[in-house]
Structure formats: structure tokens, C-alpha cells
Amino acid sequence: MVRIINSGKRKSAVAKASLEEGTGNVWINGRNYRNLNFFDKLKIEEPLKITEKILGKLNFDIKVTVMGGGEKGQIEAARIAMTKSILEFSKSKELQKEILDYDRSLLVADVRRKETRKPGDSKARSRRQKSYRWFSIMLTDSHKDRNLTDNL
């Protein structure tokens, strides 16, 4: 019995997929993928549908464990890990070409990460709001005495 283990990453989510010979079941964190939200289920089905189209049938089971990140990042990490495992299991160049033509992000992780916060600022790119109040107070304070005497 062949067991293939691969991992996938997306943002701070890390997925580990374990593929074994079987009947086509896919489990993500102990839950069947068919019980996920509709769009999450569609994202997980993409590599499975391509594989079924090229190879004919799914003769393997996949168990994926995902840790870290948010819900969508975990789904993306799971599909990368699944696709890598499927390709290693099938050893099909035609399947690899088809997957890369369909969506490169199924096989290659997105390396973008959150930009770090800069010291003295509130966020990564935003700067402190400029205030003219300090300058206007200085002007009014210096002219305050003169204005009061002129009015008397």
C-alpha cells in the first residue's frame, strides 16, 4: 500500500495531505469535503475534477490536516497539498500540464505575506495624520495680546 505525504502553504495556513489507495474519499480535518461551504467545496473539487478527466477515476483517498490561518487560507493550502500528492501518485506529465494550464496556483504556492508594521505608525503603509492645529495655536497665541489691545 502506497502512502504519499505532501504539504501546501497559503498565508499562515499549512496543510499536510496524506494520499493512499482507496475509493476517492477526501477528508479535511476529519470532515468530508462535501460538508464544507459551497464555494470552499468547489475549490477543493477543482484538482479532483481535472484528475478524473485525465485519469478516468479516482482510485485514492486523501486525508488533509490544516493548521493556522483563516478559513480561506486553509482551503487554499489544502488544495495545493492535495494537488502535489495527486501528481506524485499518478506520475502523469499530462495531468501536470493540464493542472498548470488550468490554474498555476493549484501547484505553486503564493508567496505574498502580510507586510510588517513600521515603528511609530499605525499600519504597514499608512502614515500618521498631519495636524495643522499645533501651528495655528502657535500663531494665535503670538497674536493674541496684540489683537486684544487693538480692540480696546
Side-chain angles (χ1 to χ4, degrees):
M1 188 161 167
V2 179
R3 176 180 235 172
I4 296 170
I5 298 172
N6 271 303
S7 66
K9 285 183 171 184
R10 174 69 171 115
K11 292 187 177 179
S12 59
V14 180
K16 185 177 82 170
S18 173
L19 186 142
E20 297 175 344
E21 292 180 23
T23 59
N25 294 323
V26 178
W27 301 89
I28 298 176
N29 286 344
R31 294 171 52 193
N32 194 323
Y33 84 96
R34 291 184 177 96
N35 297 334
L36 296 173
N37 295 336
F38 180 71
F39 289 107
D40 295 343
K41 184 177 91 166
L42 290 179
K43 279 201 170 281
I44 293 294
E45 280 181 344
E46 285 177 348
L48 300 174
K49 296 280 185 187
I50 295 169
T51 304
E52 196 170 13
K53 181 180 136 190
I54 300 295
L55 299 181
K57 62 180 176 13
L58 303 176
N59 56 344
F60 50 80
D61 292 338
I62 302 176
K63 291 179 183 148
V64 184
T65 55
V66 193
M67 298 178 72
E71 186 179 343
K72 302 302 176 189
Q74 286 188 349
I75 295 296
E76 295 284 332
R79 49 193 301 244
I80 291 172
M82 284 172 45
T83 307
K84 285 181 179 178
S85 295
I86 291 169
L87 281 176
E88 192 175 324
F89 178 77
S90 69
K91 297 177 180 68
S92 169
K93 293 290 180 187
E94 182 186 356
L95 178 61
Q96 182 176 1
K97 184 184 180 312
E98 189 71 29
I99 286 173
L100 287 173
D101 288 344
Y102 176 76
D103 187 4
R104 189 170 185 270
S105 66
L106 281 171
L107 201 53
V108 181
D110 188 354
V111 296
R112 295 177 296 172
R113 296 294 179 258
K114 182 176 178 287
E115 190 172 340
T116 56
R117 186 184 162 278
K118 309 302 184 291
D121 290 326
S122 56
K123 292 183 180 175
R125 291 287 175 110
S126 68
R127 299 290 168 244
R128 286 215 150 149
Q129 190 171 2
K130 186 174 180 180
S131 171
Y132 290 98
R133 187 170 176 84
W134 179 80
F135 185 67
S136 64
I137 289 174
M138 294 301 293
L139 280 179
T140 55
D141 283 345
S142 64
H143 296 292
K144 193 180 271 186
D145 296 330
R146 191 170 1 138
N147 290 339
L148 288 174
T149 57
D150 289 344
N151 290 339
L152 291 175

